[in-house]
Amino acid sequence: MGTDLISIEEAWARIATRATPLPVERMPLDEALNRILAEPVMAPMDLPPFDNSAMDGYALRAVETQQAQEARPVTLTIAGEVAAGSWQDTAVAPGTAIKIMTGAALPSGTDTVLQLESGRLRDGVVEIREPLPVGRHVRRRGEDVRRGQLLLEAGVRLNAQRLGLLANSGLADVHVYRPARVSLLATGSELVRAGQPLAPGQIYDSNRIVLRTLIAQTGSICEDLGVVADEPSAIAARIQQELTADLALISGGVSVGAHDYVKRVLRELGMETLFWRINAKPGKPLLCGRRNQTWVFGLPGNPISCVVGFLLFLEPLIRLLHGERNAQPRYATARLTQPVSKKDERRTLLTARLVVRSDGSLEATPTEQQGSAMMQALAQADAFVVVPEDRSSIDAGETVQVLRFHE
Ligand code: AMP
Ligand code: MG
């Protein structure tokens, strides 16, 4: 069996080779968190921009301290004070020092700072008991960053640390890739919104909130088009609305049941199919295609299958669209704590709890219940344990591949 099923790798390769980043936009730093830089950023100025003190203390000339001894201190008269944010233009006269605060610009003529605690102050004179090397406790202009050098490479994700570097360089905005617009539709005549009464045979819709949340966690923008009944013209109308987005997600109705109209509707709307049905359990009935500029995904309605499809393909695709280089599904390795077995020949993904051990390595424990509609198991899971096609069992203690959620 399984000859018409495409492997997860082949399916991902078909996506990855076609995925190109979305257009670039200029964003204020405050709104650029987690975005990817579209262009390298060159340093517009030196950091720090001027020589300044790394300590609270006394700014002086090192040469004047060279004769200092414990028993015979050198004395310098305090001729003023300079705080962070102020600037002293007049050069410091021989025989004098200036009281200086951390971050204050070094007054001209001085080259060294004596730490406040190391100098004894009496009657407006500071005593220095040892020779100081030039540059002690001084942060030199440009020692951190030189104007014109590469500040950040294109392709890096903006985090708190990098935003700090840009802000300190006086940059107010950056060129980043724009986030994807993702439209979302759930199909199924059985689906009811939480809070509404259930008629016999109906269930509450959960895929939309799951997908909306997973979409939000990628930093893309979700347009939720709600639930539509299994009725071809209603589905077609709603999908048409979806096709203006960068990605159109449709949950359910993509299998081979009598009322699974999604595939037909998409074909009639001119979608080019990239693949349909993957060699995965759960997650097999997954449709991926393109229609003009829009990526289209028909995800299986079974809640666990739907999540597997999202993690395998959508999450990494969105990262590629957002400009991340070489984005891949979030695989890791973990030590299996319990033996697992399978009968199906397909690659099998088991809901599992993941624990980080004290040495940083991961331990995976499959949930007691397994199945494409086991909501409790999904709620317990941090990841999926991947059981390869050619394995019918894996022993406790073996290293396995896991597919993780994005934290
Ligand atoms: P389908 O892919 O439409 O054949 O649906 C497969 C299974 O998933 C059925 O048992 C559906 O009732 C269930 N299902 C479909 N959509 C949802 C949804 N949005 N929330 C929860 N379960 C769903
Ligand atoms: Mg259905």
Side-chain angles (χ1 to χ4, degrees):
M1 80 154 260
T3 47
D4 62 332
L5 302 180
I6 166 174
S7 75
I8 291 170
E9 282 72 28
E10 172 60 23
W12 171 243
R14 287 188 194 178
I15 292 173
T17 54
R18 286 171 179 79
T20 52
L22 292 165
V24 170
E25 61 185 2
R26 206 159 174 85
M27 291 301 285
L29 288 195
D30 281 329
E31 292 164 48
L33 177 64
N34 284 327
R35 299 286 202 93
I36 304 234
L37 267 187
E39 292 167 8
V41 178
M42 310 313 272
M45 59 186 277
D46 287 339
L47 290 182
F50 48 84
D51 294 352
N52 70 93
S53 179
M55 293 281 173
D56 293 326
Y58 307 93
L60 45 78
R61 261 181 264 264
V63 67
E64 295 199 282
T65 69
Q66 295 316 301
Q67 307 306 320
Q69 290 174 19
E70 186 62 41
R72 227 187 266 174
V74 164
T75 59
L76 297 172
T77 305
I78 304 300
E81 186 177 306
V82 56
S86 62
W87 184 265
Q88 172 160 328
D89 258 334
T90 49
V92 172
T96 69
I98 301 285
K99 206 164 181 195
I100 192 165
M101 311 304 150
T102 305
L106 232 58
S108 86
T110 66
D111 54 23
T112 299
V113 171
L114 173 72
Q115 230 177 312
L116 198 66
E117 307 86 289
S118 307
R120 187 180 299 165
L121 188 64
R122 59 163 73 127
D123 304 332
V125 165
V126 60
E127 290 182 353
I128 300 144
R129 296 174 179 279
E130 58 175 356
L132 298 174
V134 173
R136 163 76 59 89
H137 301 316
V138 173
R139 303 189 286 219
R140 308 292 310 187
R141 170 178 184 160
E143 73 174 18
D144 182 357
V145 170
R146 281 252 169 244
R147 179 182 169 178
Q149 81 170 63
L150 179 68
L151 208 55
L152 288 174
E153 284 179 289
V156 302
R157 186 173 291 277
L158 294 176
N159 53 19
Q161 306 87 296
R162 291 164 183 162
L163 288 169
L165 175 61
L166 296 171
N168 206 225
S169 303
L171 294 164
D173 38 42
V174 274
H175 278 115
V176 289
Y177 295 100
R178 78 159 167 80
R181 288 177 296 109
V182 184
S183 62
L184 175 61
L185 178 67
T187 71
S189 298
E190 75 279 30
L191 300 176
V192 175
R193 272 172 202 271
Q196 305 291 318
L198 275 189
Q202 295 184 319
I203 61 162
Y204 288 114
D205 158 42
S206 59
N207 286 353
R208 264 185 328 126
I209 195 164
V210 170
L211 290 171
R212 266 201 324 258
T213 307
L214 294 173
I215 290 164
Q217 285 171 345
T218 65
S220 49
I221 298 153
C222 184
E223 192 195 359
D224 187 350
L225 296 184
V227 174
V228 66
D230 293 313
E231 204 268 294
S233 61
I235 291 176
R238 216 68 83 81
I239 288 183
Q240 220 152 4
Q241 247 179 295
E242 281 204 282
L243 289 174
T244 56
D246 301 306
L247 284 103
L249 266 56
I250 302 119
S251 143
V254 77
S255 206
V256 291
H259 298 279
D260 293 333
Y261 302 114
V262 168
K263 216 163 146 259
R264 199 181 81 201
V265 164
L266 282 168
R267 215 180 278 132
E268 283 166 9
L269 287 170
M271 185 196 72
E272 168 213 354
T273 300
L274 294 189
F275 59 84
W276 182 57
R277 304 221 295 171
I278 56 168
N279 190 7
K281 178 190 160 73
K284 180 170 83 171
L286 190 144
L287 173 69
C288 170
R290 306 247 313 159
R291 204 268 203 158
N292 299 336
Q293 297 306 303
T294 305
W295 288 90
V296 182
F297 283 84
L299 293 168
N302 274 312
I304 320 302
S305 319
C306 181
V307 168
V308 163
F310 188 91
L311 295 184
L312 282 175
F313 304 117
L314 279 147
E315 202 269 344
L317 168 59
I318 291 170
R319 280 188 281 130
L320 287 176
L321 298 181
H322 287 178
E324 186 175 317
R325 269 71 161 168
N326 308 314
Q328 296 288 332
R330 294 187 187 273
Y331 292 119
T333 53
R335 198 182 137 270
L336 194 63
T337 63
Q338 288 169 18
V340 296
S341 61
K342 72 169 166 67
K343 293 191 189 75
D344 201 285
E345 285 175 14
R346 278 176 286 168
R347 187 174 307 182
T348 300
L349 293 104
L350 306 171
T351 42
R353 296 172 210 253
L354 221 50
V355 171
V356 184
R357 294 193 301 175
S358 55
D359 65 356
S361 66
L362 297 173
E363 224 168 48
T365 305
T367 57
E368 207 172 302
Q369 308 247 54
Q370 293 292 337
S372 60
M374 293 292 188
M375 296 305 290
Q376 174 97 316
L378 177 63
Q380 293 166 346
D382 314 292
F384 291 89
V385 163
V386 180
V387 185
E389 290 84 334
D390 60 358
R391 295 289 300 268
S392 58
S393 67
I394 303 181
D395 293 332
E398 282 195 62
T399 297
V400 289
Q401 186 183 46
V402 294
L403 177 65
R404 304 182 74 170
F405 284 84
H406 174 45
E407 280 122 40

